[in-house]
Each structure stands twice: as C-alpha cells, then as structure tokens.
Amino acid sequence: ALDLALACATARCLGPESDHTRIAVSRLLALQAPEGSWPAGALFVGPEAPEPPSIFWGSRALTTAIAIEALSR
C-alpha cells in the first residue's frame, strides 16, 4: 500500500488525472482496513548492498498519512 500511495501522490502532483491514476486510487482505497488505516510498508530498507536487507522501517501510521495525502489532492 505504501508504494501505491506514493505513486498516487506523485501522479496527482504532476498534472491532470489520468485513467491510470484513477485506477491506482481505486486500488489504494480497496487496501484500506475497516478501521481506516492502511497496512505498514517499508520506507527504508537496509543495509546497503552487498549486505542482504535486514532492517525495515515503516509503520501503519506513515502509510496511512501518505495515503491520506494522496487521496486529498
């Protein structure tokens, strides 16, 4: 949901809404939990290559805030 929320927010900032943006917004709304939040997504993944990813940072609050931002535009 985080990657979709970021994509929607970016697309809506760039100009007139397209069919692709409307589909993405519909998919984002479909991912919303009944209590109103969206699932957590990893905004940061580390450490950097060549080490394997072992640290993931993100939260439901962060994903929800970005989804609300995307939907409010």
Side-chain angles (χ1 to χ4, degrees):
L2 178 60
D3 54 347
L4 190 54
L6 288 166
C8 288
T10 301
R12 292 180 125 188
C13 284
L14 292 176
E17 195 162 287
S18 69
D19 289 339
H20 294 295
T21 304
R22 282 188 279 282
I23 291 168
V25 167
S26 294
R27 289 181 180 166
L28 181 60
L29 287 168
L31 294 173
Q32 188 176 20
E35 90 315 300
S37 71
W38 277 264
L43 184 64
F44 171 81
V45 179
E48 295 203 15
E51 298 296 320
S54 59
I55 300 169
F56 300 88
W57 184 87
S59 67
R60 285 177 30 183
L62 175 70
T63 302
T64 299
I66 295 172
I68 291 169
E69 169 68 20
L71 297 172
S72 69
R73 293 191 171 269

